[in-house]
Amino acid sequence: MDTSRRGPLLLLLFAALMAGAGNGISLVAFPWLVLQRNGSALDASIVAMAGTLPLLAATLIAGAAVDYLGRRRVSMISDALSGLSVAAVPVLAMTFGLDIINVGVLAALAGLGAFFDPAGMTARETMLPEAATRAGWTLDHANSVYEATFNLAYIVGPGIGGLLIATLGGVDTMWVTAVAFGTSIVAVAVLRLEGSGKPDRASLPEGVWDGIVEGLRFVWHNKVLRTLAFVDLAATGLYVPMESVLFPKYFTDRDEPAQLGWVLMALSIGGLVGALGYAVLSKRMSRRATMVTALLTLGVAMTVIAFLPPLPLILALSAVVGLVYGPMAPIYNYVMQTRAPQHLRGRVVGVMGSLAYAAGPLGLIVAGPLADAAGLHVTFLALSVPMLVLGIGAIFLPALRQLDER
């Protein structure tokens, strides 16, 4: 295959890798800075919620911004602002001292980063169909590799984050995050791809709000998109607290930052293998069967983790969780990309993402206080049992049968 044809796709994948790695480092660093300060799971939940609560509105706006301003431009602006939000941590520490880095400041900066990140992710995802066509790849293949790249970022990011915290400290680790975002900007800046520049204004509504409403209406009236949105909302709400609060709380109490990095790496390694394997799996197993199997397996694995077994078993189960979760994102992407018209793609991706992000704060509101009051074991069970119920319920959802329709 001609390298020039693959160039845009490779640049897009590299940008996703760098931006994802920056977010992966933040995933470890922000909770660690809070827990190292006072050991409170509630405070860690506050910062984690600050990193997810803005995502609901931000992703809706991001989808409209991509359609209105152009995909390349939005990707670069988003990464620049995300990089500034994490670089502010060491800058404030150098200027005013470490005492300024309290829960409120960390929550504010995490919230700013979360507000900017969705625009970059949405912009890169909406460029994927054209990049795949240019490279001569099928959409399933491109989505599989793209999501594997994203998971690879969360192998590199948390792993490096845990090691850097152990050697440099949580504050200076944020410099690495800022550099990762800067590298993503450079990759997108040299990318040239049809449909990534200024959009055709004639195909857009008069106002941004009208555009957002149009995207919401499209998703609501599309049965399979609507069902997937609510399934993703529930699964995300049950999964995010485990990764963002419960595992950090468990390993902070044990003063084991490197082990936290290993667990998050195991989740991402499993996700990497699962996402890459989907390109092959999709030829042998229906999308519906893949989705139902993933949800059921997630419930079982999370239930065993709830009993806080030895570290090797936690690592193995985390890898299983990532493995079965890996194919889900390529399926979501495929449905959005094939159901939405080109001029609506950004807003449809934004609507779907915002509904999933809405569940994160709800799960964190419950998980943090419950972990402080009842312990990690009870809190893990409170997340894993509903995940099992969700998997069983998915078997009977008729809309999921449309996943395999052309």
Side-chain angles (χ1 to χ4, degrees), residues 159-196:
I160 291 177
L163 294 175
L164 288 176
I165 290 170
T167 54
L168 301 178
V171 172
D172 288 336
T173 295
M174 291 301 191
W175 287 120
V176 180
T177 313
V179 171
F181 283 118
T183 308
S184 176
I185 294 171
V186 173
V188 174
V190 299
L191 183 151
R192 293 296 181 270
L193 189 67
E194 57 273 17
S196 64

Side-chain angles (χ1 to χ4, degrees), residues 81-364:
L81 295 174
S82 295
L84 289 173
S85 70
V86 294
V89 174
V91 169
L92 287 173
M94 289 189 300
T95 305
F96 301 103
L98 289 174
D99 288 341
I100 194 67
I101 309 300
N102 56 34
V103 174
V105 169
L106 290 172
L109 293 176
L112 284 174
F115 191 82
F116 300 134
D117 286 340
M121 292 186 288
T122 301
R124 288 185 289 271
E125 187 174 319
T126 55
M127 287 189 278
L128 193 59
E130 286 77 17
T133 299
R134 172 84 70 87
W137 287 21
T138 66
L139 198 49
D140 270 329
H141 186 186
N143 280 316
S144 175
V145 175
Y146 181 84
E147 292 301 330
T149 301
F150 191 77
N151 280 281
L152 179 61
Y154 277 82
I155 296 171
V156 175
I160 291 177
L163 294 175
L164 288 176
I165 290 170
T167 54
L168 301 178
V171 172
D172 288 336
T173 295
M174 291 301 191
W175 287 120
V176 180
T177 313
V179 171
F181 283 118
T183 308
S184 176
I185 294 171
V186 173
V188 174
V190 299
L191 183 151
R192 293 296 181 270
L193 189 67
E194 57 273 17
S196 64
K198 293 182 179 179
D200 179 12
R201 295 289 180 183
S203 64
L204 297 174
E206 292 183 3
V208 173
W209 176 249
D210 290 337
I212 293 174
V213 171
E214 186 179 0
L216 285 166
R217 187 182 297 116
F218 183 88
V219 170
W220 182 256
H221 290 293
N222 187 293
K223 189 175 181 180
V224 65
L225 283 174
R226 184 176 69 241
T227 302
L228 277 183
F230 285 111
V231 168
D232 195 26
L233 184 150
T236 301
L238 296 170
Y239 174 79
V240 165
M242 180 182 74
E243 188 176 49
S244 298
V245 174
L246 301 188
F247 277 144
K249 169 66 175 171
Y250 178 66
F251 289 105
T252 301
D253 289 346
R254 298 164 65 94
D255 193 26
E256 296 175 341
Q259 284 80 344
L260 172 61
W262 295 346
V263 169
L264 296 178
M265 284 177 65
L267 287 165
S268 295
I269 289 172
L272 171 64
V273 175
L276 275 178
Y278 176 69
V280 176
L281 183 66
S282 63
K283 300 176 182 178
R284 294 171 170 80
M285 191 172 180
S286 71
R287 296 185 183 92
R288 175 181 174 274
T290 302
M291 182 75 65
V292 172
T293 301
L295 293 171
L296 287 170
T297 307
L298 280 170
V300 173
M302 287 173 61
T303 300
V304 179
I305 291 174
F307 292 93
L308 300 174
L311 180 62
L313 184 54
I314 291 179
L315 289 171
L317 290 168
S318 297
V320 170
V321 168
L323 181 67
V324 298
Y325 204 84
M328 294 176 70
I331 293 174
Y332 291 143
N333 292 349
Y334 177 87
V335 175
M336 289 185 288
Q337 292 157 359
T338 55
R339 296 298 198 279
Q342 203 270 356
H343 71 279
L344 263 176
R345 194 184 301 158
R347 279 164 285 169
V348 169
V349 172
V351 168
M352 295 289 286
S354 66
L355 290 174
Y357 287 137
L362 296 176
L364 292 166

Side-chain angles (χ1 to χ4, degrees), residues 41-42 249 366-376 378-379:
L42 176 59
K249 169 66 175 171
V366 174
L370 186 60
D372 284 337
L376 290 174
V378 171
T379 309

